[in-house]
Amino acid sequence: MQQPSFVAAENTRQLYAKKCEQTAETGVCAPPIVTDQEAVTLFSLEGAGQVVGKVRLLGYLNPQAPLFFDARQQAVTISDYSLTMRKQGAAVVEDDDHDNEEEEE
């Protein structure tokens, strides 16, 4: 029987302002640093108050990047993470199958 699961995806754009060190002559400040990311998460209920998750973070270039058009709106960085969440007070269930899954992929 397949365990209940839930997939979520979220896109974010973050702006990081640079300290403006303009002089009276230039009157121009540097533009902010912009990052575009997507987070895709799979949560699976494993029973006994335990949820396991897999998280994939994807980083994209923005139009100010010199290689933006070469990237063709594809992710340029990919990071994978796994996590286990347990209900407080729940018994810890050791399951080596999850470790083997990651090695097989």
Side-chain angles (χ1 to χ4, degrees), residues 11 34-38 58-62 73-77:
N11 294 308
V34 179
T35 63
D36 293 321
Q37 285 193 336
E38 181 178 7
L58 303 128
Y60 298 90
L61 295 178
N62 58 57
Q73 296 181 343
Q74 299 293 313
V76 295
T77 61

Side-chain angles (χ1 to χ4, degrees), residues 17-78:
K18 294 181 181 179
K19 185 175 181 181
C20 186
E21 305 219 2
Q22 73 181 25
T23 62
E25 296 83 35
T26 63
V28 177
C29 292
I33 297 170
V34 179
T35 63
D36 293 321
Q37 285 193 336
E38 181 178 7
V40 181
T41 309
L42 168 66
F43 298 102
S44 298
L45 180 62
E46 297 293 319
Q50 180 170 294
V51 174
V52 290
K54 293 185 178 185
V55 180
R56 175 165 281 182
L57 298 178
L58 303 128
Y60 298 90
L61 295 178
N62 58 57
Q64 289 82 14
L67 297 174
F68 174 76
F69 293 103
D70 292 335
R72 297 183 180 175
Q73 296 181 343
Q74 299 293 313
V76 295
T77 61
I78 300 173

Side-chain angles (χ1 to χ4, degrees), residues 60-99:
Y60 298 90
L61 295 178
N62 58 57
Q64 289 82 14
L67 297 174
F68 174 76
F69 293 103
D70 292 335
R72 297 183 180 175
Q73 296 181 343
Q74 299 293 313
V76 295
T77 61
I78 300 173
S79 302
D80 288 326
Y81 302 93
S82 61
L83 53 98
T84 301
M85 297 176 281
R86 294 182 185 95
K87 185 176 180 179
Q88 287 187 333
V92 175
V93 178
E94 293 298 327
D95 185 2
D96 292 332
D97 289 342
H98 293 292
D99 295 334

